[in-house]
Amino acid sequence: RKFLFVFCDGGWDPSFVFAPLFDNPNVNCESTATTREVNGLRFVDSPDRPSVSLFFESWAQDCLIINGIDHSTVAHDRGKRLLMTGLPQGPDDWGALIAANTTQSLTAPHLVVSGPTYVTYHPDSIVRIGKNGELSDLLFGSSSQSSAEDQSTVDLRTEDLISEYLKARSSQHHQANADPHAQLFAMNLGQTQTQLEDLIAQSSDINFMVNEGEFGYACNETFMGSATIAIDCFEAGLSRCAIVEDQGFCRMRWDSHGDITEQSWHYELLFEGLNQLMEALSTRYSPSGNRLSDEVTVVVCSELGRHPKLN
């Protein structure tokens, strides 16, 4: 299976959607909200969040809600690492591990569009888009960092010289039957060069720049501007995993503290995006000919919850 992680940055309040706790006096609940059940899934239904009901009415049969994971921390950084790796330090995250252990030959095994990532043992499984389109600059030489055309030419020529030096060094190690470290260097260099060439060849039709005019940057734009890049890579057979970040309404993040009404705005926009995402996955196909919705597991998560009662 393929995996798309949608990470809600800042810590959500599960009692707004995922945990209907109206009978618990220690939980703040909205007076206009009620408990609803669709296909065996119980959730909080509110007229302020119509996209939530629309989503579960369409996709509840394919959904699983997990509540009650205790991180024993209120620190965001620690919570993110625990959520994404299962331990407070050291290991790689779920996306990196899944991608590193795939039996397929993929040029961008785990695509990091945005959101947290933790990699120690499998850095070769990660491809980062970059916040300012750095991946496109690296692949196609259209560097947005250079203000002068002649400077771009110099930079590209410098890169060519470095590549020629590394290839020559690799060839010398191979011919001299050098020590294991040198052989590993030569092997990794060759794999990297092949991966780069494959990525350039296979991704020429993919726009790795987040479309600011359509999704993700104005108050009512969903995370789909980032997720579309991941869907394109799944469809092209480039990736097995990807992660995108949802920063909520007006990109305020989910870290609302006492302003709990913001949670409602964030959830409505999140589920609007999830509806768009599932519609896209159900109409796009993988190289195997299957609908992406049949192959992609979408994991929607946040690093923390909120305290259940204002304090």
Side-chain angles (χ1 to χ4, degrees), residues 216-260:
Y217 281 80
C219 281
N220 289 309
E221 293 169 352
T222 71
F223 63 85
M224 278 295 288
S226 298
T228 299
I229 301 173
I231 295 171
D232 288 344
C233 288
F234 288 152
E235 187 176 49
L238 295 176
S239 304
R240 184 178 181 189
C241 298
I243 183 169
V244 298
E245 191 171 67
D246 178 84
Q247 295 195 352
F249 182 76
C250 287
R251 301 181 66 81
M252 294 191 298
R253 300 177 64 247
W254 290 72
D255 193 15
S256 57
H257 288 260
D259 301 322
I260 59 172

